[in-house]
């Protein structure tokens, strides 16, 4: 079994839990609360900015021009492509995307997840960076495909979250995921068991935080006591 297949297999229970999360199930059944959508998009705008920066660190630590090109392309998927699901969510919540980009405090889970990716990327090497970015990619492709199948989304373009689900099941997302896992497998061919365990723990933490990110939005998680005037600067 390849290293990436082992990562996916060992974290199978987390992928299943994410699919079962009420946020994801409410997307499937078109009943996700407006407050949860707004909280999600506000936090996700900041999260994706950090995610793009982590790909930038991938470019900084890349060993070949092809690897640089891959990260360069993935940055544009994040900064431009991911507008499609965000616009879909804003349409359903009847809010303007521009308003979602206004600075708000970074919620505890988003803060933790962003710091996790940045720390892994700044202190690690290319395999650590890939392990930090993979959960974001892989969990969405995974539950997107399950949702698409369960809701027969291809036959239901009128589904409120059709664009959101279709984006994460597109060929472009699948091929981006494959590029990342292929590169991770190639880079870890001669890696020691100790280093592999470390890379796996970066991946697992990211998968856990993907679950918690949906929890955060679903419960509109905030710092306590609420500090509505505190705004994160560097990560936006
Ligand atoms: C937190 C999170 N994880 C994943 C994705 C999908 N790229 C996202 N938009 N936000």
């Amino acid at each position: 079994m390849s290293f990436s297949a082992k990562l996916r297999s060992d974290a199978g229970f987390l992928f299943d839990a994410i699919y079962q999360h009420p946020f994801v199930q409410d997307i499937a059944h078109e009943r996700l609360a407006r407050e949860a959508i707004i909280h999600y998009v506000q936090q996700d705008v900041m999260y994706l900015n950090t995610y793009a920066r982590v790909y930038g660190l991938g470019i900084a630590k890349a060993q070949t021009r092809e690897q640089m090109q891959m990260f360069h392309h993935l940055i544009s998927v994040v900064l431009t492509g991911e507008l499609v699901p965000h616009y879909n969510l804003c349409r359903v919540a009847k809010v303007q995307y521009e308003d979602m980009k206004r600075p708000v405090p970074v919620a505890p889970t988003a803060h933790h997840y962003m710091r996790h990716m940045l720390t892994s990327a700044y202190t690690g090497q290319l395999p650590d960076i890939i392990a930090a970015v993979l959960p974001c990619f892989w969990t969405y492709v995974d539950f997107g495909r399950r949702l698409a199948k369960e809701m027969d989304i291809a036959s239901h373009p009128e589904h409120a979250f059709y664009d959101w689900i279709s984006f994460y099941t597109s060929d472009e997302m699948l091929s981006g995921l494959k590029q990342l896992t292929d590169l991770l497998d190639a880079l870890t061919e001669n890696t020691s068991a100790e280093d592999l365990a470390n890379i796996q723990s970066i991946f697992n933490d990211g998968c856990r935080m993907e679950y918690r990110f949906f929890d955060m939005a679903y419960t509109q998680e905030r710092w306590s006591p609420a500090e509505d005037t505190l705004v994160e600067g560097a990560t936006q």
Side-chain angles (χ1 to χ4, degrees):
M1 188 192 292
S2 67
F3 180 54
S4 62
K6 176 172 165 46
L7 292 183
R8 172 66 184 83
S9 165
D10 290 356
F13 70 103
L14 288 167
F15 279 70
D16 292 346
I18 290 169
Y19 176 62
Q20 294 300 341
H21 194 284
F23 186 104
V24 174
Q25 287 302 313
D26 284 1
I27 290 261
H29 299 285
E30 302 173 279
R31 62 183 180 214
L32 185 60
R34 184 169 181 270
E35 298 72 32
I37 296 178
I38 292 173
H39 196 66
Y40 174 89
V41 177
Q42 286 177 325
Q43 297 297 320
D44 208 43
V45 167
M46 297 184 284
Y47 168 84
L48 289 180
N49 286 347
T50 296
Y51 193 71
R53 289 180 209 279
V54 173
Y55 278 148
L57 290 165
I59 293 180
K61 297 193 181 189
Q63 296 154 349
T64 67
R65 196 167 182 136
E66 287 69 32
Q67 293 168 1
M68 287 182 185
Q69 275 163 340
M70 181 192 78
F71 286 119
H72 176 255
H73 171 68
L74 292 175
I75 287 174
S76 82
V77 173
V78 173
L79 296 182
T80 308
E82 292 247 13
L83 289 174
V84 172
H86 277 181
Y87 285 159
N88 184 175
L89 295 174
C90 288
R91 224 167 31 242
V92 174
K94 297 190 172 47
V95 289
Q96 297 297 319
Y97 180 68
E98 289 307 310
D99 291 337
M100 298 295 97
K101 291 197 311 191
R102 296 228 169 89
V104 292
V106 182
T109 297
H111 188 271
H112 187 163
Y113 195 2
M114 288 150 72
R115 289 303 185 277
H116 163 72
M117 291 191 301
L118 288 170
T119 305
S120 306
Y122 272 115
T123 61
Q125 298 306 316
L126 215 43
D128 306 287
I129 295 180
I130 297 173
V133 295
L134 257 183
C136 167
F137 226 111
W138 211 337
T139 57
Y140 275 55
V141 168
D142 180 87
F143 72 66
R145 298 186 82 190
R146 295 197 211 191
L147 287 182
K149 192 162 167 226
E150 182 188 333
M151 312 317 289
D152 186 17
I153 208 73
S155 316
H156 292 286
E158 77 287 359
H159 190 287
F161 297 100
Y162 177 86
D163 287 353
W164 199 76
I165 297 170
S166 303
F167 178 79
Y168 293 117
T169 52
S170 64
D171 290 346
E172 185 176 17
M173 293 302 282
L174 276 179
S175 95
L177 175 60
K178 184 162 167 24
Q179 280 182 306
L180 282 172
T181 52
D182 283 353
L183 180 55
L184 181 63
D185 289 334
L187 291 172
T188 52
E189 254 171 22
N190 299 311
T191 302
S192 70
E194 192 187 345
D195 286 346
L196 287 180
N198 193 39
I199 295 166
Q200 181 158 17
S201 101
I202 293 172
F203 177 79
N204 287 341
D205 285 348
C207 293
R208 289 192 185 103
M209 278 180 262
E210 285 296 340
Y211 181 92
R212 293 296 295 266
F213 201 91
F214 285 131
D215 253 7
M216 172 202 75
Y218 208 69
T219 61
Q220 288 108 67
E221 177 197 70
R222 288 186 163 77
W223 294 100
S224 43
E227 291 265 20
D228 282 344
T229 51
L230 266 187
V231 169
E232 186 78 16
T235 48
Q236 291 176 47

